[in-house]
């Protein structure tokens, strides 16, 4: 009874504490994070779930819906960059136990914060001295060098001696750092799309990954993890393994578009994916674009091996052309891919008429692409597969004006530059300067242009007027309008402002943006999403802001 009371009191105290530090007491369904696991280090089993300790936190496989996802609730309270080398779900206390580079942590999944085990013998513990994590009865057991450390599974208190116990009755989790990880042998297994080796797997492009951890759950399912973020699933009495793709190719997400089939096309920072660990490196074997189907939660990838003409696939921008084509702006031109035939594509660059190779932004009008580089705007006909205007600004003497942003609404092309804000009617080709302000980002909303510099402005180009909407944007990198609200991207946090009441909320590390850099943001119905160096973060903000 006292123990039950203390746990309930601690839970209430935790909720009160967090209600004072974060904006709201969130449900776990309020947040969805898409990210890559990186290396799979450890596997454990809890009620209805299999858990994976990875280079980028904790992922969970739900046995009912057969989906693998980043577990927002379990990861809450961890440093965003924590690698989980050992993970263990203790069924006796219903607590999750983790070992990271910073120590030994535990919490009930209902709570937000982890508690850390503190003891003189492991205050400055050496991770390489730990070889196993498990539990028996009400104790957590850590094999540390040649001895065992016993911990009370409820309180986290070190127990000097628990008396005699049968080591064969200990429920161990698996880890790539455990001694038994060397027992992995996959030589008798096969997969439909991968070549299965003794302790490695190879895809059709020749890229090989090492299998570094294995686990058998209570249902006799076999689980294996690789050093490059793949999970293999099989059954004890079958020789077939399924290789599961999880997350984008990198967690540094810089551009995203979606289509009506609930496919999300995700571009990542070019330098990050090159650091992923590929053995037997093949020049044309790297994925360069991730595709996530939201409906069935499946991941696929576009691979350099299928785009032989591309020598530099660092992506700067993506644009959906009427759900028919995906336009990809790269450091060396544009790739146009039919959405129904992703293995077909067109590629063009400066040699074919672009003003520059480095593409900053892409918009479209009818079947023409408008391709922005730093020097100007080129036009490309999808129907005729030709760049028919090198720089539409040359006719107005505006070449080399340092382009910043553009958007097309109806037949009007709005563009911002170091020379000011302009609009071109694409039918009459009439050019008009509508503001001397230099805006780094622009968007069209309610018949006016909103522009961002040190302030947020509205420019009414029909009435030749402009005014400040938000005087101080605190160095915002970007903004997003949704109804009578505006989101300001402040790089490591975001600020939401009600434009009618001027009430504001800051979402920072207390709300989950820990050690996060935000590159862009967008709307998805009642949700807002943030492109960050920690993956894509979706937030059901309309639940709290009407």
């Amino acid at each position: 009874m006292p123990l039950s009371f203390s746990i309930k009191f601690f839970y209430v105290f935790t909720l009160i504490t967090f209600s004072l530090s974060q904006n709201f007491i969130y449900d776990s369904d309020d947040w969805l994070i898409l990210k890559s696991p990186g290396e799979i280090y450890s596997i454990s089993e809890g009620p209805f779930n299999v858990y994976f300790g990875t280079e980028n936190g904790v992922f969970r496989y739900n046995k009912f819906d057969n989906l693998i996802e980043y577990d927002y609730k379990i990861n809450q309270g961890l440093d965003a960059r924590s690698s989980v080398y050992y993970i263990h779900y203790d069924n006796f206390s219903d607590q999750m136990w983790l070992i990271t580079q910073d120590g030994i942590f535990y919490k009930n999944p209902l709570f937000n914060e982890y508690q850390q085990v503190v003891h003189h013998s492991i205050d400055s513990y050496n991770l390489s001295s730990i070889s196993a994590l498990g539990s028996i009865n009400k104790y957590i057991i850590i094999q540390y060098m040649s001895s065992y450390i016993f911990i009370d599974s409820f309180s986290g208190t070190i127990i000097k001696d628990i008396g005699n116990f049968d080591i064969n009755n200990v429920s161990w989790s698996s880890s790539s750092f455990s001694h038994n990880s060397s027992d992995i042998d996959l030589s008798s297994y096969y997969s439909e799309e991968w070549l299965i080796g003794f302790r490695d797997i190879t895809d059709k492009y020749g890229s090989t990954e090492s299998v570094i951890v294995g686990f058998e759950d209570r249902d006799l399912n076999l689980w294996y993890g690789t050093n490059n973020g793949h999970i293999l699933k099989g059954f004890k009495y079958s020789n077939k393994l399924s290789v599961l793709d999880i997350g984008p190719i990198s967690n540094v997400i810089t551009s995203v578009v979606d289509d009506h089939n609930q496919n999300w096309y995700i571009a990542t920072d070019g330098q990050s994916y090159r650091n992923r660990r590929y053995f037997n490196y093949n020049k044309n074997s790297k994925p360069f674009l991730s595709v996530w189907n939201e409906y069935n939660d499946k991941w696929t990838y576009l691979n350099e091996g299928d785009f032989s003409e591309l020598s530099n696939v660092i992506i700067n921008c993506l644009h959906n052309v009427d759900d028919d084509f995906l336009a990809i702006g790269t450091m060396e031109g544009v790739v146009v891919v039919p959405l129904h035939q992703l293995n077909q594509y067109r590629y063009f660059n400066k040699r074919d008429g672009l003003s520059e190779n480095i593409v900053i932004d892409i918009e479209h009008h009818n079947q023409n692409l408008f391709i922005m580089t730093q020097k100007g705007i080129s036009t490309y006909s999808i129907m005729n597969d030709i760049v028919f205007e090198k720089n539409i600004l040359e006719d107005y003497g505006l070449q080399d004006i340092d382009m910043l942003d553009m958007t097309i609404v109806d037949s009007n092309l709005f563009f911002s530059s170091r020379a000011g804000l302009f609009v071109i009617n694409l039918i009459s080709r009439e050019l008009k300067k509508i503001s001397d302000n230099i805006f780094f980002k622009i968007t069209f909303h309610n018949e006016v242009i909103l522009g961002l510099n040190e302030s947020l402005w509205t420019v009414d180009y029909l009435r030749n007027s402009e005014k400040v909407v938000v005087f101080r944007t605190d160095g915002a990198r970007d903004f997003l309008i949704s109804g009578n609200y505006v989101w300001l991207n402040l790089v490591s946090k975001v600020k939401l402002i009600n434009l009618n009441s001027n009430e504001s909320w800051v979402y920072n590390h207390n709300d989950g943006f820990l050690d996060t850099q935000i590159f862009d943001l967008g709307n998805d119905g009642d949700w807002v999403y943030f492109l960050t160096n920690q993956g894509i973060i979706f937030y059901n903000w309309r639940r709290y802001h009407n």
Side-chain angles (χ1 to χ4, degrees):
M1 190 69 174
L3 177 61
S4 173
F5 173 79
S6 64
I7 291 176
K8 290 178 180 178
F9 175 80
F10 179 70
Y11 178 51
V12 173
F13 175 78
T14 301
L15 290 179
I16 294 174
T17 301
F18 266 76
S19 67
L20 296 176
S21 58
Q22 63 187 32
N23 286 304
F24 305 98
I25 300 176
Y26 306 110
D27 292 333
S28 59
D29 293 339
D30 291 335
W31 298 87
L32 171 67
I33 300 177
L34 303 179
K35 66 189 305 184
S36 166
E39 294 197 43
I40 312 294
Y41 293 126
S42 182
I43 308 175
S44 183
E45 183 180 13
F48 319 120
N49 296 293
V50 176
Y51 294 97
F52 302 88
T54 79
E55 182 181 1
N56 295 310
V58 177
F59 285 70
R60 177 191 65 197
Y61 175 87
N62 185 285
K63 294 182 179 181
F64 292 118
D65 56 26
N66 297 316
L67 297 178
I68 297 179
E69 63 182 359
Y70 179 82
D71 194 316
Y72 171 79
K73 193 66 178 177
I74 293 297
N75 285 283
Q76 199 169 16
L78 283 179
D79 187 288
R81 297 187 182 276
S82 288
S83 294
V84 178
Y85 300 111
Y86 291 85
I87 185 169
H88 183 75
Y89 191 97
D90 177 45
N91 289 285
F92 189 86
S93 63
D94 281 327
Q95 298 209 92
M96 181 67 74
W97 288 78
L98 310 176
I99 297 179
T100 76
Q101 65 271 24
D102 298 316
I104 303 168
F105 300 89
Y106 66 98
K107 77 168 183 178
N108 185 293
L110 294 175
F111 296 166
N112 292 332
E113 282 293 282
Y114 278 90
Q115 303 298 310
Q116 184 171 7
V117 174
V118 178
H119 188 267
H120 65 86
S121 65
I122 54 175
D123 275 347
S124 56
Y125 79 106
N126 184 350
L127 180 64
S128 62
S129 298
I130 296 177
S131 56
L133 171 65
S135 60
I136 185 171
N137 298 327
K138 62 178 182 178
Y139 302 107
I140 300 298
I141 300 180
I142 296 175
Q143 187 171 352
Y144 190 74
M145 294 186 286
S146 59
S147 61
Y148 294 100
I149 295 173
F150 304 99
I151 305 173
D152 185 283
S153 62
F154 284 101
S155 66
T157 303
I158 301 292
I159 306 298
K160 290 185 177 180
D161 186 10
I162 64 170
N164 295 326
F165 73 98
D166 188 347
I167 194 67
N168 295 315
N169 291 332
V170 175
S171 173
W172 298 106
S173 294
S174 67
S175 173
S176 60
F177 297 91
S178 298
H179 299 315
N180 60 2
S181 64
S182 59
D183 296 336
I184 296 173
D185 179 3
L186 304 180
S187 58
S188 61
Y189 293 93
Y190 74 95
S191 173
E192 292 180 350
E193 296 185 356
W194 290 71
L195 178 65
I196 306 295
F198 179 68
R199 289 190 62 180
D200 55 45
I201 60 174
T202 304
D203 68 12
K204 65 180 180 179
Y205 300 99
S207 296
T208 299
E209 305 174 16
S210 296
V211 177
I212 59 176
V213 63
F215 181 78
E216 181 181 323
D217 69 21
R218 288 187 291 268
D219 300 317
L220 304 182
N221 294 309
L222 303 178
W223 300 92
Y224 298 95
T226 78
N227 66 330
N228 206 37
H230 280 99
I231 290 175
L232 287 65
K233 181 178 184 292
F235 184 67
K236 185 173 184 179
Y237 299 108
S238 170
N239 295 108
K240 183 178 179 180
L241 291 175
S242 298
V243 181
L244 309 180
D245 294 309
I246 310 168
I249 57 177
S250 164
N251 288 330
V252 183
I253 312 297
T254 54
S255 186
V256 163
V257 294
D258 63 338
D259 65 24
H260 72 284
N261 290 321
Q262 294 185 290
N263 292 310
W264 292 74
Y265 303 89
I266 303 168
T268 59
D269 173 69
Q271 296 305 314
S272 293
Y273 80 81
R274 294 185 184 279
N275 291 330
R276 288 166 65 84
R277 296 171 177 84
Y278 283 95
F279 296 93
N280 301 327
Y281 175 76
N282 188 322
K283 180 179 179 181
N284 294 316
S285 67
K286 300 182 299 297
F288 70 94
L289 184 76
S290 307
V291 184
W292 175 59
N293 185 271
E294 182 179 358
Y295 179 76
N296 57 29
D297 195 29
K298 299 297 183 184
W299 289 88
T300 55
Y301 309 93
L302 299 191
N303 196 289
E304 285 183 16
D306 297 320
F307 294 77
S308 58
E309 290 184 63
L310 305 186
S311 58
N312 188 333
V313 292
I314 296 178
I315 298 173
N316 295 326
C317 60
L318 298 172
H319 183 70
N320 181 350
V321 184
D322 299 327
D323 277 345
D324 293 323
F325 298 92
L326 175 67
I328 306 173
T330 77
M331 295 294 288
E332 291 191 3
V334 177
V335 183
V336 179
V337 183
L339 290 180
H340 304 292
Q341 291 178 296
L342 294 180
N343 59 338
Q344 303 294 321
Y345 70 96
R346 308 169 191 175
Y347 172 62
F348 55 94
N349 56 24
K350 188 175 181 179
R351 296 192 310 270
D352 304 295
L354 288 184
S355 58
E356 267 192 334
N357 276 332
I358 301 175
V359 176
I360 301 173
D361 197 9
I362 300 175
E363 294 285 338
H364 81 279
H365 180 252
N366 297 330
Q367 285 293 299
N368 295 329
L369 296 183
F370 291 80
I371 301 156
M372 188 178 84
T373 68
Q374 188 174 7
K375 292 183 178 180
I377 301 173
S378 304
T379 53
Y380 166 82
S381 170
I382 297 176
M383 182 178 299
N384 298 317
D385 187 22
I386 187 172
V387 177
F388 62 90
E389 287 181 289
K390 179 179 180 180
N391 190 350
I392 65 175
L393 303 184
E394 288 182 348
D395 293 340
Y396 311 98
L398 293 177
Q399 64 269 27
D400 301 329
I401 60 171
D402 199 358
M403 301 292 294
L404 298 172
D405 199 10
M406 70 172 177
T407 187
I408 294 178
V409 181
D410 297 327
S411 297
N412 292 313
L413 188 159
F414 300 90
F415 66 91
S416 60
S417 69
R418 298 286 179 184
L421 179 64
F422 297 82
V423 59
I424 297 177
N425 184 285
L426 297 176
I427 306 300
S428 67
R429 286 303 178 105
E430 178 186 358
L431 172 76
K432 180 181 179 181
K433 187 174 186 179
I434 57 178
S435 177
D436 289 322
N437 272 304
I438 299 173
F439 297 121
F440 301 103
K441 292 288 182 179
I442 60 172
T443 192
F444 188 87
H445 180 72
N446 286 346
E447 303 302 319
V448 299
I449 287 289
L450 285 99
L452 177 69
N453 47 34
E454 294 80 7
S455 303
L456 183 64
W457 297 70
T458 59
V459 179
D460 189 334
Y461 72 104
L462 296 176
R463 296 179 176 82
N464 295 318
S465 65
E466 54 188 312
K467 66 178 182 179
V468 174
V469 179
V470 179
F471 280 96
R472 293 184 59 186
T473 60
D474 301 321
R477 169 183 281 177
D478 197 0
F479 71 98
L480 175 70
I481 293 290
S482 183
N484 59 318
Y485 290 88
V486 58
W487 290 90
L488 297 178
N489 173 6
L490 305 181
V491 183
S492 63
K493 57 189 175 182
V494 289
K495 186 176 185 178
L496 179 65
I497 302 174
N498 186 316
L499 296 176
N500 293 336
S501 66
N502 285 325
E503 187 177 7
S504 64
W505 301 261
V506 174
Y507 287 81
N508 54 25
H509 63 279
N510 291 319
D511 303 278
F513 292 98
L514 183 63
D515 200 16
T516 300
Q517 182 177 177
I518 303 165
F519 302 113
D520 204 353
L521 61 173
N523 261 327
D524 182 33
D526 290 338
W527 293 67
V528 63
Y529 59 87
F530 309 95
L531 311 185
T532 80
N533 63 333
Q534 301 293 336
I536 307 178
I537 302 174
F538 290 85
Y539 170 46
N540 188 9
W541 72 286
R542 281 295 187 180
R543 178 176 289 182
Y544 304 98
H545 305 279
N546 296 320

